[in-house]
């Protein structure tokens, strides 16, 4: 089950997405579990860098890519999931 992470959503799924976006260099705010405009911007940047539709919503496809070893960092490198 994937929780859609989009503006206005709050919870553990949002925190996990925020933490992973931080690891990859897309997000610099505190991972507070509330998806706001800065989160949407980070999700869109990740989506663009990784060849996904940049809609700012972290749905199934975005989250699969986000947590994969092939996710590209904000600088374009491949992130090794550890």
């Amino acid at each position: 089950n994937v929780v859609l992470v989009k503006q206005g959503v709050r919870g553990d799924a949002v925190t996990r997405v925020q933490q992973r976006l931080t690891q990859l260099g897309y997000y610099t705010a505190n991972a507070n579990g509330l998806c706001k405009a800065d989160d949407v911007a980070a999700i869109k940047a990740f989506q663009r860098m990784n060849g996904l539709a940049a809609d700012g919503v972290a749905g199934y496809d975005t989250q699969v890519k986000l947590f994969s070893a092939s996710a590209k960092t904000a600088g374009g490198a491949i992130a090794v999931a550890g």
Side-chain angles (χ1 to χ4, degrees):
N1 268 351
V2 172
V3 175
L4 281 182
V5 175
K6 59 185 178 179
Q7 191 156 346
V9 173
R10 90 170 51 232
D12 292 339
V14 177
T15 302
R16 284 191 297 275
V17 167
Q18 289 171 330
Q19 289 171 338
R20 182 63 172 153
L21 287 168
T22 299
Q23 289 174 341
L24 297 175
Y26 293 95
Y27 188 71
T28 56
N30 290 331
N32 61 5
L34 175 61
C35 186
K36 298 181 293 201
D38 56 342
D39 303 273
V40 171
I43 292 166
K44 283 183 180 179
F46 172 80
Q47 289 169 327
R48 280 192 296 273
M49 184 67 78
N50 286 274
L52 300 165
D55 60 4
V57 176
Y60 178 79
D61 291 341
T62 297
Q63 290 186 45
V64 167
K65 186 65 173 181
L66 183 63
F67 291 102
S68 75
S70 65
K72 292 183 182 174
T73 67
I78 300 296
V80 177

